[in-house]
Amino acid sequence: MAAITLSKLNKHYGSLHHAVKDVDLAIADKEFVALVGPSGCGKSTTLRMIAGLEDISSGEIRIGDRVVNNLPPRDRDVAMVFQNYALYQHMTVYDNLAFGLRNKKVPEREIKAAIDRAAEMLGLHELLKRRPRQLSGGQQQRVALGRCIVRNPLVFLFDEPLSNLDAKLRAQMRIEIKRLHSQMPTTSVFVTHDQVEAMTLGDRVVIMRDGEVQQAGSPLSVYGHPVNRFVAGFIGAPAMNFLDVTIRKEGDTLVAQSRAVKLAINETSARALEAWQGRPVIMGLRPEHLSLGAGVLSRSFPAKVEVVEQLGSEILLETRVGEARVTVARVPPETQVSAGDQVRLSIQPGRLHFFDPDSEAAIVA
Ligand code: ADP
């Protein structure tokens, strides 16, 4: 069993910089958690504290049933994969894989069996006699993964391991890491600034900002029910559109209205928004939930097309709605549409998100 529990975890760098603030997080045994957020939000520091590479300022870290606060990294039974691979350049791939086990005086026969298994999982057999500089970036990262696998640790920690790879290789390695986790389910924490990586890899995605956890949940729940504007804008690509609107009552229905837009609000949201009548709120619309065409009038609004991006599988539109820029995704590729066109954009009322303009917390997530 290797659950990881972070309780009120803090990291101060000197007296000025509070890099990790009161982080509470319970990671289940065998769970794959992706820690994601913009650069500088404290995700690597959090990971390094779990690894024991960084002292903690206050709080507690448990791995399994042990408090590891004061244990050196080698006694925590964690294996870490870094962005820069950290392979020994003068050793062959085989010796790189064997290194940690030889240090622990594991018999050569067992080392060979462990390396065979890892090489099989990662397709490394042909590379075992080469040295790291004779390998591509993707191959070096596979060796770095292999080095973790042979140790059969309680926990895998990944620090942006795919950032140095090109887009295509990153997508391939993502699949390999996912396959690896299903073949060898091991508690894993994966740090990345890339929300696609986090969403595709994580059983659970933990979004951080300025040292604090904003939200932790399954990919679908953080996408569907972001707790605040930051999470709403960070998760999902292209990013969610935001419009300033006022909540008004029109007859029996609540509407979200600005000079450019008037949209009916459905019953579920109306309950939460009733108290906001006459007040400004921020409305969030995902690009992929908007479609071209009037449909029902109370569910659509006018927009001016500014840029058309034909991707083959879909069209992306940049439009202007009043003062705001609104992106529309998944427009069918055969649609006849040009820059300068006046169009109407439709959205289902259940797809609208609303945020408090002061706290930025979701009113209806
Ligand atoms: P992330 O991994 O999310 O990009 P980090 O955890 O590396 O962020 O850093 C969090 C914050 O702590 C950043 O503002 C960074 O500048 C600061 N920081 C990181 N390491 C140090 C250090 N050794 N000394 C001082 N400040 C640091």
Side-chain angles (χ1 to χ4, degrees), residues 13 17 19-20 37-46 54 159-160 191:
Y13 287 110
H17 200 80
V20 174
S39 177
C41 72
K43 48 196 190 301
S44 296
T45 301
T46 303
E54 202 77 70
D159 194 0
E160 301 251 7
V191 160

Side-chain angles (χ1 to χ4, degrees), residues 292 303-308 317-320 337-343:
L292 272 188
K304 183 173 185 206
V305 177
E306 290 192 333
V307 180
V308 177
L317 296 180
E318 286 301 321
T319 72
R320 176 74 67 171
V337 58
S338 315
D341 286 358
Q342 293 286 347
V343 295

Side-chain angles (χ1 to χ4, degrees), residues 11-304:
K11 177 70 184 182
H12 294 268
Y13 287 110
S15 57
L16 287 178
H17 200 80
H18 197 175
V20 174
K21 301 172 186 162
D22 280 338
V23 167
D24 285 314
L25 188 63
I27 301 168
D29 184 38
K30 301 187 173 48
E31 191 179 18
F32 197 116
V33 162
L35 270 187
V36 67
S39 177
C41 72
K43 48 196 190 301
S44 296
T45 301
T46 303
L47 192 79
R48 291 169 62 80
M49 286 193 284
I50 299 172
L53 299 173
E54 202 77 70
D55 288 338
I56 72 176
S57 304
S58 66
E60 187 182 87
I61 302 178
R62 282 174 174 272
I63 298 179
D65 46 19
R66 288 192 305 174
V67 175
V68 299
N69 286 21
N70 298 316
L71 281 187
R74 65 174 179 281
D75 295 336
R76 297 190 184 197
D77 205 0
V78 301
M80 193 148 168
V81 188
F82 300 91
Q83 180 176 346
N84 63 6
Y85 324 130
L87 300 176
Y88 298 111
Q89 295 299 322
H90 61 286
M91 291 184 192
T92 62
V93 168
Y94 187 97
D95 289 339
N96 264 284
L97 294 173
F99 186 78
L101 299 181
R102 284 183 182 144
N103 271 352
K104 284 206 260 173
K105 309 262 183 286
V106 175
E108 279 297 324
R109 201 167 25 85
E110 283 176 39
I111 293 178
K112 181 168 183 317
I115 291 177
D116 271 344
R117 243 190 343 264
E120 187 65 42
M121 275 190 217
L122 291 165
L124 291 175
H125 275 300
E126 286 93 83
L127 309 178
L128 290 175
K129 292 198 176 117
R130 294 201 206 166
R131 289 179 205 279
R133 65 173 175 280
Q134 299 167 306
L135 304 176
S136 69
Q139 288 169 331
Q140 290 191 52
Q141 196 51 291
R142 283 219 294 278
V143 176
L145 278 176
R147 199 174 43 182
C148 291
I149 295 172
V150 296
R151 288 179 46 196
N152 196 21
L154 282 178
V155 172
F156 280 142
L157 302 175
F158 299 90
D159 194 0
E160 301 251 7
L162 309 184
S163 304
N164 282 351
L165 307 176
D166 65 41
K168 197 169 166 195
L169 208 51
R170 262 204 322 266
Q172 278 174 15
M173 286 301 291
R174 233 164 50 206
I175 294 170
E176 289 205 21
I177 291 174
K178 196 130 186 140
R179 186 178 299 133
L180 202 66
H181 187 69
S182 64
Q183 286 175 355
M184 189 182 164
T186 303
T187 313
S188 301
V189 186
F190 188 104
V191 160
T192 175
H193 62 273
D194 177 351
Q195 61 94 23
V196 173
E197 231 162 79
M199 293 288 275
T200 50
L201 280 166
D203 298 321
R204 206 145 50 102
V205 179
V206 176
I207 300 117
M208 289 185 72
R209 178 197 199 184
D210 293 339
E212 290 176 307
V213 171
Q214 303 286 298
Q215 187 168 7
S218 69
L220 205 56
S221 73
V222 297
Y223 171 84
H225 306 283
V227 295
N228 59 30
R229 180 186 171 152
F230 174 79
V231 174
F234 193 79
I235 298 292
M240 187 184 275
N241 301 295
F242 297 105
L243 297 176
D244 294 323
V245 294
T246 304
I247 302 299
R248 286 190 38 244
K249 194 129 196 178
E250 213 171 72
D252 284 343
T253 22
L254 276 191
V255 294
Q257 188 167 9
S258 69
R259 229 180 288 161
V261 171
K262 186 162 82 179
L263 286 171
I265 294 167
N266 73 353
E267 264 176 52
T268 330
S269 309
R271 246 171 276 140
L273 284 163
E274 196 71 42
W276 287 81
Q277 277 182 64
R279 292 162 65 189
V281 299
I282 299 166
M283 179 167 69
L285 313 167
R286 289 214 181 269
E288 57 275 28
H289 293 155
L290 288 163
S291 55
L292 272 188
V296 181
L297 212 58
S298 65
R299 294 178 186 170
S300 68
F301 53 89
K304 183 173 185 206

